[in-house]
Amino acid sequence: MTAVLEDAPAEVGAIPSFTVTLRVLRHLPSDDGDAVVDHWDEFQVLCHGTDRVLDALHKVKWEQDGSLTFRRSCAHGVCGSDAMRINGRNRLACKTLLKDLDPSKPITVEPIKGLPVVKDLVVDMEPFFASYREIMPFLITTGNEPSKERLQSAKQRERFDDTTKCILCAACTSSCPVFWTDGQYFGPAAIVNAHRFIFDSRDEGGAQRLEILNDKEGVWRCRTTFNCTEACPRGIEVTKAIQEVKRAMITRAF
């Protein structure tokens, strides 16, 4: 359906409104275990130029269909809970402006791929977090507790600065074609968070993490398609980080 631009209000600085067609993939779990056939629902939503996909979803849930289910929290691109496929690409609904999506065409919204769908746009994140926990995402040290702060130079901090930005939204992992077909693959997000500690000068668990990721379902499963880098809402160079972990393995082996 074509977006309809409404007459702009007379006052100066008013934001023009338009109507968009939101096409949402619905999934309803079955109580008796029978197969559930997903279907598409379309909603007409009156929006403003500053509205995001999250705002449109809110309007549908609050004004048209209260059964629509999706995750969201901070609404400012920090919590990462509202990652979903929008027009075929992984994005955060709270950071995606409707006017940037060509509102003259239906805007499709689906759950991220590769993870079990619980209901509508909500997926089961446990497989994702299981991989995250396995790479030990915490500082590992030996010896007695220090009596002062563990110091680090600006150059040492810069070495892993990029991978500290991860918000665990799963946009990178669920955009990976290897992850879609191989449920055992660690996935980009787990490797990114391992990178954050492997290259931390204060950490002493790098060898352990490299051993974990040297598994057949670890970094060597990456096919360097760059889907993960393109999907990351924080701009992390995910593919580069994975390549650096591979290089660290080879360097330490020899």
Side-chain angles (χ1 to χ4, degrees):
M1 178 172 289
T2 304
V4 179
L5 291 176
E6 307 291 338
D7 291 333
E11 58 268 23
V12 177
I15 301 173
S17 58
F18 53 91
T19 299
V20 299
T21 298
L22 209 61
R23 195 163 181 260
V24 184
L25 185 62
R26 307 297 299 272
H27 175 91
L28 182 65
S30 173
D31 294 333
D32 56 13
D34 292 339
V36 178
V37 178
D38 294 345
H39 67 279
W40 293 91
D41 276 349
E42 289 192 358
F43 304 94
Q44 304 298 313
V45 186
L46 181 63
C47 301
H48 298 287
T50 55
D51 284 347
R52 307 153 298 170
V53 170
L54 182 60
D55 297 313
L57 290 171
H58 278 155
K59 289 182 179 181
V60 171
K61 185 171 181 65
W62 296 338
E63 301 171 9
Q64 300 185 41
D65 186 347
S67 69
L68 179 62
T69 306
F70 54 92
R71 287 193 180 105
R72 80 282 189 272
S73 184
C74 76
H76 286 83
V78 178
C79 72
S81 60
D82 63 345
M84 54 191 71
R85 284 175 65 83
I86 301 171
N87 282 359
R89 287 182 53 194
N90 283 10
R91 313 172 194 245
L92 295 185
C94 64
K95 292 188 67 176
T96 307
L97 289 170
L98 292 167
K99 66 181 180 65
D100 293 339
L101 295 174
D102 187 3
S104 65
K105 300 177 181 178
I107 296 171
T108 61
V109 184
E110 311 165 67
I112 52 179
K113 297 176 65 175
L115 293 167
V117 180
V118 178
K119 187 175 186 294
D120 294 343
L121 304 175
V122 175
V123 298
D124 181 2
M125 295 285 286
E126 178 51 31
F128 171 80
F129 284 116
S131 294
Y132 171 69
R133 290 191 295 267
E134 196 166 343
I135 57 91
M136 301 182 296
F138 43 81
L139 195 69
I140 297 175
T141 60
T142 58
N144 298 325
E145 182 179 345
S147 58
K148 62 180 182 178
E149 179 184 359
R150 292 185 173 90
L151 299 180
Q152 188 172 62
S153 69
K155 186 175 182 179
Q156 289 172 327
R157 177 62 170 74
E158 184 181 3
R159 181 66 185 83
F160 62 94
D161 181 70
D162 193 40
T163 48
T164 64
K165 302 171 187 174
C166 178
I167 56 175
L168 297 175
C169 65
C172 66
T173 295
S174 59
S175 72
C176 174
V178 176
F179 184 78
W180 298 340
T181 56
D182 183 354
Q184 301 302 311
Y185 176 44
F186 276 88
I191 300 171
V192 158
N193 282 277
H195 178 287
R196 178 257 176 273
F197 289 100
I198 288 169
F199 295 100
D200 189 330
S201 61
R202 303 163 299 177
D203 185 82
E204 298 175 38
Q208 292 173 258
R209 295 189 184 89
L210 288 174
E211 184 62 30
I212 292 170
L213 292 176
N214 197 27
D215 184 86
K216 66 178 182 178
E217 303 297 346
V219 293
W220 306 115
R221 292 287 281 129
C222 172
R223 294 297 178 263
T224 321
T225 63
F226 284 88
N227 281 21
C228 51
T229 301
E230 293 177 3
C232 180
R234 301 287 288 179
I236 299 171
E237 294 184 85
V238 181
T239 309
K240 178 183 176 183
I242 295 173
Q243 295 304 107
E244 289 179 350
V245 172
K246 288 181 179 179
R247 193 177 301 117
M249 284 184 183
I250 295 171
T251 302
R252 295 196 184 200
F254 292 96

mmCIF file of all heavy atoms in Angstrom, residues 211-243:
data_model
loop_
_atom_site.group_PDB
_atom_site.id
_atom_site.type_symbol
_atom_site.label_atom_id
_atom_site.label_comp_id
_atom_site.label_asym_id
_atom_site.label_seq_id
_atom_site.Cartn_x
_atom_site.Cartn_y
_atom_site.Cartn_z
ATOM 1 N N GLU A 211 41.683 -22.184 23.303
ATOM 2 C CA GLU A 211 41.494 -23.627 23.233
ATOM 3 C C GLU A 211 40.025 -23.966 23.027
ATOM 4 O O GLU A 211 39.672 -24.858 22.248
ATOM 5 C CB GLU A 211 42.015 -24.290 24.511
ATOM 6 C CG GLU A 211 41.957 -25.810 24.491
ATOM 7 C CD GLU A 211 42.808 -26.421 23.393
ATOM 8 O OE1 GLU A 211 43.840 -25.813 23.018
ATOM 9 O OE2 GLU A 211 42.430 -27.504 22.895
ATOM 10 N N ILE A 212 39.145 -23.247 23.704
ATOM 11 C CA ILE A 212 37.702 -23.463 23.562
ATOM 12 C C ILE A 212 37.254 -23.149 22.137
ATOM 13 O O ILE A 212 36.500 -23.898 21.519
ATOM 14 C CB ILE A 212 36.925 -22.593 24.571
ATOM 15 C CG1 ILE A 212 37.180 -23.088 25.997
ATOM 16 C CG2 ILE A 212 35.432 -22.600 24.264
ATOM 17 C CD1 ILE A 212 36.663 -22.152 27.071
ATOM 18 N N LEU A 213 37.751 -22.040 21.586
ATOM 19 C CA LEU A 213 37.335 -21.604 20.254
ATOM 20 C C LEU A 213 38.051 -22.355 19.137
ATOM 21 O O LEU A 213 37.699 -22.208 17.970
ATOM 22 C CB LEU A 213 37.576 -20.097 20.102
ATOM 23 C CG LEU A 213 36.689 -19.202 20.964
ATOM 24 C CD1 LEU A 213 37.091 -17.738 20.797
ATOM 25 C CD2 LEU A 213 35.216 -19.378 20.597
ATOM 26 N N ASN A 214 39.038 -23.175 19.495
ATOM 27 C CA ASN A 214 39.752 -23.968 18.495
ATOM 28 C C ASN A 214 38.995 -25.257 18.171
ATOM 29 O O ASN A 214 39.494 -26.120 17.475
ATOM 30 C CB ASN A 214 41.162 -24.313 19.008
ATOM 31 C CG ASN A 214 42.081 -24.765 17.894
ATOM 32 O OD1 ASN A 214 41.914 -24.387 16.735
ATOM 33 N ND2 ASN A 214 43.064 -25.580 18.238
ATOM 34 N N ASP A 215 37.809 -25.360 18.675
ATOM 35 C CA ASP A 215 36.929 -26.495 18.424
ATOM 36 C C ASP A 215 36.410 -26.440 16.987
ATOM 37 O O ASP A 215 36.441 -25.383 16.347
ATOM 38 C CB ASP A 215 35.762 -26.436 19.425
ATOM 39 C CG ASP A 215 34.842 -27.630 19.312
ATOM 40 O OD1 ASP A 215 35.116 -28.659 19.939
ATOM 41 O OD2 ASP A 215 33.833 -27.514 18.586
ATOM 42 N N LYS A 216 35.906 -27.558 16.481
ATOM 43 C CA LYS A 216 35.371 -27.592 15.114
ATOM 44 C C LYS A 216 34.161 -26.680 14.953
ATOM 45 O O LYS A 216 33.807 -26.294 13.834
ATOM 46 C CB LYS A 216 34.996 -29.012 14.723
ATOM 47 C CG LYS A 216 33.843 -29.613 15.523
ATOM 48 C CD LYS A 216 33.501 -31.003 15.035
ATOM 49 C CE LYS A 216 32.325 -31.590 15.804
ATOM 50 N NZ LYS A 216 31.949 -32.927 15.313
ATOM 51 N N GLU A 217 33.497 -26.333 16.073
ATOM 52 C CA GLU A 217 32.374 -25.409 16.012
ATOM 53 C C GLU A 217 32.775 -23.998 16.448
ATOM 54 O O GLU A 217 31.940 -23.162 16.750
ATOM 55 C CB GLU A 217 31.221 -25.911 16.894
ATOM 56 C CG GLU A 217 30.728 -27.294 16.550
ATOM 57 C CD GLU A 217 30.129 -27.387 15.152
ATOM 58 O OE1 GLU A 217 29.855 -26.324 14.559
ATOM 59 O OE2 GLU A 217 29.935 -28.518 14.669
ATOM 60 N N GLY A 218 34.078 -23.751 16.511
ATOM 61 C CA GLY A 218 34.588 -22.454 16.936
ATOM 62 C C GLY A 218 34.864 -21.521 15.777
ATOM 63 O O GLY A 218 34.139 -21.511 14.779
ATOM 64 N N VAL A 219 35.966 -20.766 15.879
ATOM 65 C CA VAL A 219 36.242 -19.719 14.884
ATOM 66 C C VAL A 219 36.461 -20.263 13.479
ATOM 67 O O VAL A 219 36.227 -19.555 12.498
ATOM 68 C CB VAL A 219 37.473 -18.870 15.283
ATOM 69 C CG1 VAL A 219 37.192 -18.058 16.522
ATOM 70 C CG2 VAL A 219 38.693 -19.751 15.489
ATOM 71 N N TRP A 220 36.886 -21.517 13.353
ATOM 72 C CA TRP A 220 37.185 -22.055 12.020
ATOM 73 C C TRP A 220 35.922 -22.310 11.211
ATOM 74 O O TRP A 220 36.000 -22.568 10.004
ATOM 75 C CB TRP A 220 38.015 -23.333 12.145
ATOM 76 C CG TRP A 220 39.239 -23.132 12.957
ATOM 77 C CD1 TRP A 220 39.542 -23.692 14.162
ATOM 78 C CD2 TRP A 220 40.348 -22.264 12.655
ATOM 79 N NE1 TRP A 220 40.759 -23.239 14.626
ATOM 80 C CE2 TRP A 220 41.272 -22.363 13.725
ATOM 81 C CE3 TRP A 220 40.649 -21.411 11.589
ATOM 82 C CZ2 TRP A 220 42.473 -21.652 13.752
ATOM 83 C CZ3 TRP A 220 41.838 -20.698 11.621
ATOM 84 C CH2 TRP A 220 42.730 -20.819 12.684
ATOM 85 N N ARG A 221 34.756 -22.232 11.828
ATOM 86 C CA ARG A 221 33.497 -22.379 11.089
ATOM 87 C C ARG A 221 33.109 -21.078 10.380
ATOM 88 O O ARG A 221 32.226 -21.074 9.520
ATOM 89 C CB ARG A 221 32.375 -22.807 12.033
ATOM 90 C CG ARG A 221 32.524 -24.199 12.593
ATOM 91 C CD ARG A 221 32.235 -25.266 11.535
ATOM 92 N NE ARG A 221 30.812 -25.455 11.321
ATOM 93 C CZ ARG A 221 30.206 -25.439 10.144
ATOM 94 N NH1 ARG A 221 30.897 -25.226 9.047
ATOM 95 N NH2 ARG A 221 28.917 -25.651 10.038
ATOM 96 N N CYS A 222 33.749 -19.981 10.734
ATOM 97 C CA CYS A 222 33.433 -18.689 10.105
ATOM 98 C C CYS A 222 33.805 -18.730 8.631
ATOM 99 O O CYS A 222 34.902 -19.155 8.259
ATOM 100 C CB CYS A 222 34.195 -17.568 10.810
ATOM 101 S SG CYS A 222 34.059 -15.964 9.977
ATOM 102 N N ARG A 223 32.889 -18.267 7.778
ATOM 103 C CA ARG A 223 33.121 -18.263 6.327
ATOM 104 C C ARG A 223 33.358 -16.856 5.789
ATOM 105 O O ARG A 223 33.361 -16.619 4.589
ATOM 106 C CB ARG A 223 31.935 -18.906 5.606
ATOM 107 C CG ARG A 223 31.777 -20.400 5.903
ATOM 108 C CD ARG A 223 32.990 -21.189 5.404
ATOM 109 N NE ARG A 223 32.896 -22.614 5.706
ATOM 110 C CZ ARG A 223 33.457 -23.201 6.757
ATOM 111 N NH1 ARG A 223 34.157 -22.470 7.619
ATOM 112 N NH2 ARG A 223 33.346 -24.492 6.960
ATOM 113 N N THR A 224 33.537 -15.894 6.689
ATOM 114 C CA THR A 224 33.903 -14.523 6.314
ATOM 115 C C THR A 224 32.932 -13.927 5.301
ATOM 116 O O THR A 224 33.329 -13.383 4.269
ATOM 117 C CB THR A 224 35.344 -14.483 5.757
ATOM 118 O OG1 THR A 224 36.171 -15.378 6.508
ATOM 119 C CG2 THR A 224 35.922 -13.083 5.883
ATOM 120 N N THR A 225 31.644 -14.016 5.578
ATOM 121 C CA THR A 225 30.648 -13.427 4.678
ATOM 122 C C THR A 225 30.360 -11.964 5.005
ATOM 123 O O THR A 225 29.699 -11.278 4.231
ATOM 124 C CB THR A 225 29.321 -14.206 4.751
ATOM 125 O OG1 THR A 225 28.784 -14.101 6.080
ATOM 126 C CG2 THR A 225 29.511 -15.665 4.382
ATOM 127 N N PHE A 226 30.807 -11.495 6.159
ATOM 128 C CA PHE A 226 30.632 -10.115 6.609
ATOM 129 C C PHE A 226 29.179 -9.773 6.963
ATOM 130 O O PHE A 226 28.872 -8.616 7.226
ATOM 131 C CB PHE A 226 31.165 -9.101 5.581
ATOM 132 C CG PHE A 226 32.665 -8.990 5.575
ATOM 133 C CD1 PHE A 226 33.435 -9.832 4.788
ATOM 134 C CD2 PHE A 226 33.302 -8.049 6.364
ATOM 135 C CE1 PHE A 226 34.820 -9.737 4.788
ATOM 136 C CE2 PHE A 226 34.695 -7.944 6.362
ATOM 137 C CZ PHE A 226 35.449 -8.782 5.571
ATOM 138 N N ASN A 227 28.274 -10.754 6.968
ATOM 139 C CA ASN A 227 26.899 -10.481 7.401
ATOM 140 C C ASN A 227 26.880 -9.914 8.809
ATOM 141 O O ASN A 227 26.107 -9.004 9.127
ATOM 142 C CB ASN A 227 26.067 -11.772 7.387
ATOM 143 C CG ASN A 227 25.608 -12.156 5.994
ATOM 144 O OD1 ASN A 227 26.198 -11.723 5.010
ATOM 145 N ND2 ASN A 227 24.568 -12.968 5.916
ATOM 146 N N CYS A 228 27.715 -10.471 9.679
ATOM 147 C CA CYS A 228 27.737 -10.060 11.081
ATOM 148 C C CYS A 228 28.170 -8.605 11.231
ATOM 149 O O CYS A 228 27.590 -7.843 12.016
ATOM 150 C CB CYS A 228 28.647 -10.978 11.887
ATOM 151 S SG CYS A 228 30.307 -11.199 11.182
ATOM 152 N N THR A 229 29.182 -8.216 10.473
ATOM 153 C CA THR A 229 29.671 -6.837 10.542
ATOM 154 C C THR A 229 28.599 -5.860 10.066
ATOM 155 O O THR A 229 28.387 -4.805 10.674
ATOM 156 C CB THR A 229 30.944 -6.682 9.693
ATOM 157 O OG1 THR A 229 31.952 -7.577 10.185
ATOM 158 C CG2 THR A 229 31.467 -5.248 9.751
ATOM 159 N N GLU A 230 27.905 -6.225 9.002
ATOM 160 C CA GLU A 230 26.857 -5.355 8.466
ATOM 161 C C GLU A 230 25.666 -5.259 9.411
ATOM 162 O O GLU A 230 24.994 -4.228 9.464
ATOM 163 C CB GLU A 230 26.405 -5.881 7.103
ATOM 164 C CG GLU A 230 27.475 -5.775 6.026
ATOM 165 C CD GLU A 230 27.023 -6.374 4.712
ATOM 166 O OE1 GLU A 230 25.851 -6.811 4.626
ATOM 167 O OE2 GLU A 230 27.829 -6.406 3.761
ATOM 168 N N ALA A 231 25.405 -6.312 10.166
ATOM 169 C CA ALA A 231 24.230 -6.336 11.036
ATOM 170 C C ALA A 231 24.457 -5.649 12.371
ATOM 171 O O ALA A 231 23.486 -5.241 13.024
ATOM 172 C CB ALA A 231 23.794 -7.783 11.283
ATOM 173 N N CYS A 232 25.697 -5.514 12.805
ATOM 174 C CA CYS A 232 25.967 -4.987 14.151
ATOM 175 C C CYS A 232 25.477 -3.547 14.307
ATOM 176 O O CYS A 232 25.951 -2.645 13.606
ATOM 177 C CB CYS A 232 27.455 -5.050 14.463
ATOM 178 S SG CYS A 232 27.846 -4.405 16.118
ATOM 179 N N PRO A 233 24.542 -3.290 15.228
ATOM 180 C CA PRO A 233 24.029 -1.931 15.416
ATOM 181 C C PRO A 233 25.015 -1.001 16.122
ATOM 182 O O PRO A 233 24.801 0.210 16.157
ATOM 183 C CB PRO A 233 22.773 -2.147 16.265
ATOM 184 C CG PRO A 233 23.064 -3.383 17.040
ATOM 185 C CD PRO A 233 23.864 -4.255 16.110
ATOM 186 N N ARG A 234 26.085 -1.570 16.654
ATOM 187 C CA ARG A 234 27.091 -0.767 17.354
ATOM 188 C C ARG A 234 28.312 -0.478 16.480
ATOM 189 O O ARG A 234 29.258 0.159 16.929
ATOM 190 C CB ARG A 234 27.533 -1.499 18.624
ATOM 191 C CG ARG A 234 26.418 -1.796 19.604
ATOM 192 C CD ARG A 234 25.950 -0.558 20.327
ATOM 193 N NE ARG A 234 26.965 -0.122 21.285
ATOM 194 C CZ ARG A 234 26.850 0.954 22.064
ATOM 195 N NH1 ARG A 234 25.778 1.699 21.976
ATOM 196 N NH2 ARG A 234 27.788 1.279 22.905
ATOM 197 N N GLY A 235 28.282 -0.980 15.259
ATOM 198 C CA GLY A 235 29.386 -0.704 14.347
ATOM 199 C C GLY A 235 30.660 -1.465 14.647
ATOM 200 O O GLY A 235 31.749 -1.058 14.213
ATOM 201 N N ILE A 236 30.570 -2.575 15.377
ATOM 202 C CA ILE A 236 31.754 -3.376 15.689
ATOM 203 C C ILE A 236 32.240 -4.081 14.421
ATOM 204 O O ILE A 236 31.436 -4.610 13.653
ATOM 205 C CB ILE A 236 31.432 -4.424 16.778
ATOM 206 C CG1 ILE A 236 30.976 -3.734 18.066
ATOM 207 C CG2 ILE A 236 32.642 -5.311 17.059
ATOM 208 C CD1 ILE A 236 30.442 -4.693 19.120
ATOM 209 N N GLU A 237 33.525 -4.106 14.216
ATOM 210 C CA GLU A 237 34.105 -4.818 13.078
ATOM 211 C C GLU A 237 34.213 -6.297 13.458
ATOM 212 O O GLU A 237 35.287 -6.810 13.760
ATOM 213 C CB GLU A 237 35.457 -4.228 12.708
ATOM 214 C CG GLU A 237 35.392 -2.807 12.183
ATOM 215 C CD GLU A 237 36.744 -2.292 11.735
ATOM 216 O OE1 GLU A 237 37.124 -2.559 10.570
ATOM 217 O OE2 GLU A 237 37.434 -1.655 12.544
ATOM 218 N N VAL A 238 33.083 -6.975 13.420
ATOM 219 C CA VAL A 238 32.985 -8.344 13.926
ATOM 220 C C VAL A 238 33.889 -9.295 13.151
ATOM 221 O O VAL A 238 34.629 -10.100 13.743
ATOM 222 C CB VAL A 238 31.517 -8.832 13.874
ATOM 223 C CG1 VAL A 238 31.415 -10.236 14.425
ATOM 224 C CG2 VAL A 238 30.618 -7.880 14.659
ATOM 225 N N THR A 239 33.834 -9.243 11.839
ATOM 226 C CA THR A 239 34.638 -10.159 11.026
ATOM 227 C C THR A 239 36.125 -9.948 11.285
ATOM 228 O O THR A 239 36.894 -10.918 11.363
ATOM 229 C CB THR A 239 34.336 -9.949 9.530
ATOM 230 O OG1 THR A 239 32.924 -9.991 9.316
ATOM 231 C CG2 THR A 239 34.988 -11.033 8.690
ATOM 232 N N LYS A 240 36.533 -8.713 11.456
ATOM 233 C CA LYS A 240 37.938 -8.408 11.765
ATOM 234 C C LYS A 240 38.335 -9.033 13.102
ATOM 235 O O LYS A 240 39.425 -9.608 13.234
ATOM 236 C CB LYS A 240 38.156 -6.899 11.803
ATOM 237 C CG LYS A 240 39.568 -6.482 12.174
ATOM 238 C CD LYS A 240 39.681 -4.962 12.272
ATOM 239 C CE LYS A 240 41.069 -4.547 12.731
ATOM 240 N NZ LYS A 240 41.169 -3.065 12.893
ATOM 241 N N ALA A 241 37.457 -8.933 14.100
ATOM 242 C CA ALA A 241 37.744 -9.506 15.418
ATOM 243 C C ALA A 241 37.903 -11.020 15.325
ATOM 244 O O ALA A 241 38.794 -11.604 15.958
ATOM 245 C CB ALA A 241 36.631 -9.149 16.398
ATOM 246 N N ILE A 242 37.045 -11.668 14.540
ATOM 247 C CA ILE A 242 37.141 -13.125 14.374
ATOM 248 C C ILE A 242 38.468 -13.500 13.715
ATOM 249 O O ILE A 242 39.131 -14.465 14.113
ATOM 250 C CB ILE A 242 35.950 -13.650 13.549
ATOM 251 C CG1 ILE A 242 34.640 -13.447 14.315
ATOM 252 C CG2 ILE A 242 36.146 -15.125 13.204
ATOM 253 C CD1 ILE A 242 33.391 -13.788 13.528
ATOM 254 N N GLN A 243 38.873 -12.721 12.707
ATOM 255 C CA GLN A 243 40.144 -12.994 12.032
ATOM 256 C C GLN A 243 41.318 -12.815 12.989
ATOM 257 O O GLN A 243 42.298 -13.563 12.929
ATOM 258 C CB GLN A 243 40.301 -12.072 10.824
ATOM 259 C CG GLN A 243 39.285 -12.299 9.708
ATOM 260 C CD GLN A 243 39.297 -13.726 9.210
ATOM 261 O OE1 GLN A 243 38.389 -14.512 9.470
ATOM 262 N NE2 GLN A 243 40.346 -14.092 8.490
#
